[in-house]
Amino acid sequence: MARLFNKIAIITGAAGGMGAAEARLFAEEGAYVMATDVQEDKLAAWVKEAKKEGLHIDHIMHDVTSQSDWENVIQETLLLYGRIDILVNNAGIYPGPTGIEETSKKLWDKVIAINLTGPYLGAKLCVAEMKKTGGGSIINISSIAGLVGGNGPAYTSSKGGLRLLTKDLAVELAKDNIRVNSIHPGGVLTPMTEGMMTTDAGKDMMKTMCPMGRIGTAMEIAYGALYLASDESSYTTGAELVIDGGLVAR
């Protein structure tokens, strides 16, 4: 039987990269998926093709920093599917490793709003629906930047905050059978990172820093999310799943 048979999932930031890989994999494993992103045209294009393959994926435009957008996503998901079992807070931005003096207040606010406030709003509004049906799984896509420094103050702070938001919610919601876990990818080839990762300098950096000597794929992160979304991880909450080719093990 499919690992997510009949489960209902919301996945943000799903126009491409890790979010699209997660949405497709979850649907292939039997889930009904509501894929969301601000890049609606790009999202709609691949979802249209996936639906032709028989996958149960719908999509909706979604700014994760907007509470009203979150309320709309949840309402539409409930209208289509009746409940919410899984939330993957995948949407995020990486502005590059700018130093503190080069990090403007505007940039700081934008990164924190998308990378940290977005997941807070998603969890806050989905929890009530999960409680109604006896539990659920929330998966926050953080980063190795949530564990170590060196990626710029805004990004590192947002991902470190998401790591501890995950733990706080895991403790609070355990009694409600809502599991909350974080994933910490290392260097992964996505539309957001390909400008850095596909250069000779980027490839050389990964070979030097990463014990496995290569860049990760979006699907390798998606399989981690699949485990945390499935009943196979029923005793796992508050965990940090590091998927980085051994980078932070040094």
Side-chain angles (χ1 to χ4, degrees), residues 157-178:
S157 296
S158 70
K159 293 302 186 177
L162 185 55
R163 169 179 171 262
L164 285 178
L165 174 64
T166 299
K167 291 185 182 301
D168 194 78
L169 295 181
V171 172
E172 176 187 349
L173 300 172
K175 67 183 185 302
D176 300 302
N177 195 35
I178 299 173

Side-chain angles (χ1 to χ4, degrees), residues 4-232:
L4 298 180
F5 180 70
N6 263 356
K7 290 187 181 291
I8 313 303
I10 295 173
I11 302 177
T12 70
M18 293 185 293
E22 291 154 4
R24 172 175 279 278
L25 180 60
F26 280 27
E28 289 173 349
E29 289 290 340
Y32 292 80
V33 178
M34 178 64 83
T36 86
D37 206 293
V38 290
Q39 302 176 79
E40 188 173 19
D41 291 344
K42 186 178 177 182
L43 176 64
W46 83 256
V47 169
K48 181 180 179 180
E49 295 305 311
K51 288 173 81 81
K52 289 179 182 178
E53 298 171 29
L55 297 178
H56 295 291
I57 307 176
D58 287 278
H59 66 87
I60 190 170
M61 200 285 292
H62 181 201
D63 174 0
V64 296
T65 70
S66 165
Q67 180 162 332
S68 62
D69 271 21
W70 269 110
E71 290 168 348
N72 186 47
V73 167
I74 290 167
Q75 181 181 29
E76 290 300 313
T77 303
L78 293 174
L79 283 173
L80 280 172
Y81 308 125
R83 66 179 194 277
I84 299 167
D85 301 311
I86 301 160
L87 168 64
V88 182
N89 283 310
N90 176 84
I93 58 169
Y94 176 58
T98 55
I100 187 67
E101 292 179 286
E102 292 74 44
T103 301
S104 66
K105 175 67 162 46
K106 182 178 180 180
L107 177 62
W108 172 275
D109 288 344
K110 180 179 180 180
V111 173
I112 296 296
I114 295 172
N115 293 1
L116 185 55
T117 304
Y120 147 76
L121 287 170
K124 178 180 176 65
L125 297 172
C126 283
V127 159
E129 299 304 324
M130 290 179 173
K131 286 181 178 179
K132 291 176 184 177
T133 53
S137 174
I138 298 174
I139 303 161
N140 292 324
I141 308 299
S142 180
S143 165
I144 57 169
L147 303 170
V148 297
N151 285 277
Y155 187 74
T156 300
S157 296
S158 70
K159 293 302 186 177
L162 185 55
R163 169 179 171 262
L164 285 178
L165 174 64
T166 299
K167 291 185 182 301
D168 194 78
L169 295 181
V171 172
E172 176 187 349
L173 300 172
K175 67 183 185 302
D176 300 302
N177 195 35
I178 299 173
R179 300 180 295 103
V180 191
N181 296 286
S182 58
I183 294 179
H184 299 261
V188 176
L189 188 60
T190 69
M192 187 171 71
T193 63
E194 63 186 354
M196 298 176 292
M197 294 296 182
T198 56
T199 64
D200 289 340
K203 292 176 182 177
D204 289 344
M205 177 188 72
M206 288 304 296
K207 287 179 181 178
T208 301
M209 295 177 63
C210 176
M212 292 187 73
R214 67 173 178 84
I215 299 165
T217 69
M219 191 57 69
E220 287 173 312
I221 309 305
Y223 274 109
L226 174 61
Y227 165 69
L228 293 174
S230 75
D231 293 339
E232 296 161 16

